[in-house]
Amino acid sequence: MSIEQLINCEYATIDAWEGAATARRSGWIDSGIVVLEENEPIGLLTASDLAERQYQIIIDCVSSKPIVNSRDKISDVLELMKSSGNTVLMVYDSEQFVGTISQNDILQRLNSNVSNHNLSMISAAHDLKSPIASIKMISDMLHENLKLSENRQLIDYLNQSCDFAQKIIDDILVTEEATEETLYCSEENFDDLVRECTDSFAKEFGKKQISLARSLQFGENVWIDRPKFKRVIHNLLSNSIKFTRKGGKIEVSTHKMDGVLKLVIKDTGIGIPLKMQEHIFDKFTKAKRMGTDGETTTGLGMYLTKKIVELHHGKILMESDGHNGTTFFIMLNLS
């Protein structure tokens, strides 16, 4: 995991030629204060600097500190802080100063991630209890009466329960694997990948009599992790089909705009209720519903989709009025 989501962009600043007494009275000194000269950041002032360098002017108090990149891994930044003895560092992105990162912020996020992970596992275990209980009950009933012709429906229920339990387990494993930092990128024709993914859903489109409209205008190769990004497109298409009624329509388009690849998947489905929208990308989200034909969901698909897009330094957005249709947008910066 990189520090990109932990960068403090609301940092305090102080002019390099102000008196050090001003900084000592500041309530921001424990978090580090960005030192400016002619409105340009030139360093970072900390409480340690003021304690070790008893000078009158700010610029004389500032010590040299290492800097980090916004895409550096958390583990590497923590190691750099340990070796340099600095608990707050300046963060840059392509030589552009973007904010600061502190040891406290990192540790708080790691602690929060551990707590969320434990809650996710509890949620997953809870979701697995129901289908497994159904399997046990149906198995007991079949054991008492082994006439296959009279138990066909029970066997169907048994298979459905097994499939759903397996889907939950598979989604957990895929999520943990696919959200690893390592990307194995190759040069891929993006339109061909989208075409391949939509073709793979031909049976599902036919079953619900959903029409597909494709407008693939990007026409270029991109460097992506093909298996991971195939999962992204698969999840979005599966989601649209799931929540679109029979006879509906799904539109898939790609194009390039201002150096950005844009993938749009738009459906005429039942939309996403407004109260659910802020939680749609949560892990094991509570914003899950049955599909229009009773399709089930594990609550991991959209979380996984967002994580993979962000690993490619892209963005995913969603629009829905809550009732009529949903549109997902994926933007990848080609630079």
Side-chain angles (χ1 to χ4, degrees):
M1 180 185 294
S2 73
I3 64 170
E4 201 164 12
Q5 303 300 318
L6 302 178
I7 299 171
N8 174 26
C9 299
E10 298 180 355
Y11 48 84
T13 62
I14 193 168
D15 188 86
W17 300 100
E18 278 201 43
T22 303
R24 290 189 176 93
R25 292 193 298 267
S26 172
W28 294 92
I29 190 63
D30 289 336
S31 301
I33 303 177
V34 176
V35 180
L36 304 178
E37 186 172 24
E38 296 183 357
N39 291 322
E40 290 294 324
I42 63 169
L44 188 67
L45 184 71
T46 65
S48 296
D49 290 330
L50 294 177
E52 295 172 4
R53 298 182 169 219
Q54 300 290 325
Y55 297 108
Q56 300 299 313
I57 305 300
I58 293 294
I59 195 168
D60 294 329
C61 298
V62 179
S63 64
S64 177
K65 300 177 182 64
I67 62 174
V68 294
N69 187 277
S70 61
R71 294 185 178 88
D72 287 348
K73 291 184 177 180
I74 288 178
S75 57
D76 293 338
V77 173
L78 284 174
E79 185 61 34
L80 180 59
M81 287 177 171
K82 179 181 178 181
S83 63
S84 68
N86 294 287
T87 58
V88 187
L89 299 174
M90 298 176 74
V91 184
Y92 283 76
D93 188 354
S94 301
E95 300 183 354
Q96 177 72 35
F97 175 70
V98 292
T100 63
I101 183 76
S102 74
Q103 189 179 72
N104 284 341
D105 289 340
I106 293 176
L107 295 179
Q108 287 177 9
R109 173 59 68 89
L110 292 177
N111 182 60
S112 175
N113 284 349
V114 170
S115 298
N116 289 337
H117 181 74
N118 290 339
L119 290 173
S120 295
M121 292 304 101
I122 292 172
S123 177
H126 179 76
D127 284 343
L128 284 170
K129 285 175 63 178
S130 180
I132 291 175
S134 296
I135 293 171
K136 180 66 170 63
M137 180 184 68
I138 295 171
S139 177
D140 290 342
M141 295 174 69
L142 288 173
H143 187 266
E144 294 175 4
N145 184 357
L146 298 178
K147 293 182 180 179
L148 180 62
S149 60
E150 297 177 5
N151 289 288
R152 186 173 301 278
Q153 188 175 20
L154 291 176
I155 293 174
D156 288 341
Y157 288 148
L158 177 63
N159 289 334
Q160 290 171 14
S161 296
C162 286
D163 289 344
F164 185 57
Q166 187 62 50
K167 182 171 175 55
I168 293 175
I169 295 170
D170 288 345
D171 277 1
I172 292 172
L173 294 175
V174 169
T175 297
E176 296 305 315
E177 177 183 342
T179 54
E180 292 177 355
E181 287 291 320
T182 304
L183 290 177
Y184 299 95
C185 292
S186 56
E187 191 173 7
E188 303 289 342
N189 184 299
F190 194 78
D191 287 349
D192 285 350
L193 178 60
V194 175
R195 190 177 291 108
E196 176 186 325
C197 290
T198 51
D199 287 346
S200 70
F201 279 96
K203 182 178 179 180
E204 287 78 4
F205 279 113
K207 182 179 179 181
K208 296 187 76 170
Q209 299 171 15
I210 296 172
S211 62
L212 170 66
R214 290 189 301 209
S215 177
L216 308 181
Q217 303 295 324
F218 177 65
E220 295 183 20
N221 290 353
V222 291
W223 283 89
I224 56 174
D225 186 314
R226 181 183 177 87
K228 283 186 171 69
F229 221 90
K230 187 174 181 180
R231 170 71 65 168
V232 166
I233 301 170
H234 181 279
N235 284 352
L236 292 177
L237 286 171
S238 176
N239 196 70
S240 288
I241 293 171
K242 188 180 300 179
F243 296 107
T244 297
R245 296 186 181 92
K246 288 184 177 180
K249 182 179 181 180
I250 293 176
E251 300 175 17
V252 180
S253 64
T254 63
H255 64 276
K256 180 180 179 180
M257 182 176 66
D258 298 328
V260 174
L261 161 60
K262 194 171 185 178
L263 167 65
V264 182
I265 298 181
K266 179 180 180 180
D267 63 58
T268 59
I270 59 176
I272 301 174
L274 299 180
K275 64 181 181 179
M276 289 186 177
Q277 291 184 14
E278 64 178 303
H279 301 294
I280 197 69
F281 294 113
D282 292 351
K283 192 174 186 179
F284 288 108
T285 178
K286 295 180 180 180
K288 53 185 179 181
R289 304 165 291 163
M290 300 286 280
T292 56
D293 270 3
E295 300 98 328
T296 56
T297 179
T298 64
L300 275 171
M302 288 299 101
Y303 167 82
L304 175 59
T305 298
K306 185 173 186 287
K307 287 298 180 183
I308 295 176
V309 171
E310 289 177 345
L311 280 177
H312 286 80
H313 305 297
K315 293 182 180 179
I316 181 169
L317 302 173
M318 178 270 299
E319 287 184 1
S320 176
D321 65 3
H323 305 284
N324 302 298
T326 302
T327 304
F328 283 96
F329 305 88
I330 290 179
M331 283 80 72
L332 294 181
N333 193 324
L334 298 176
S335 63

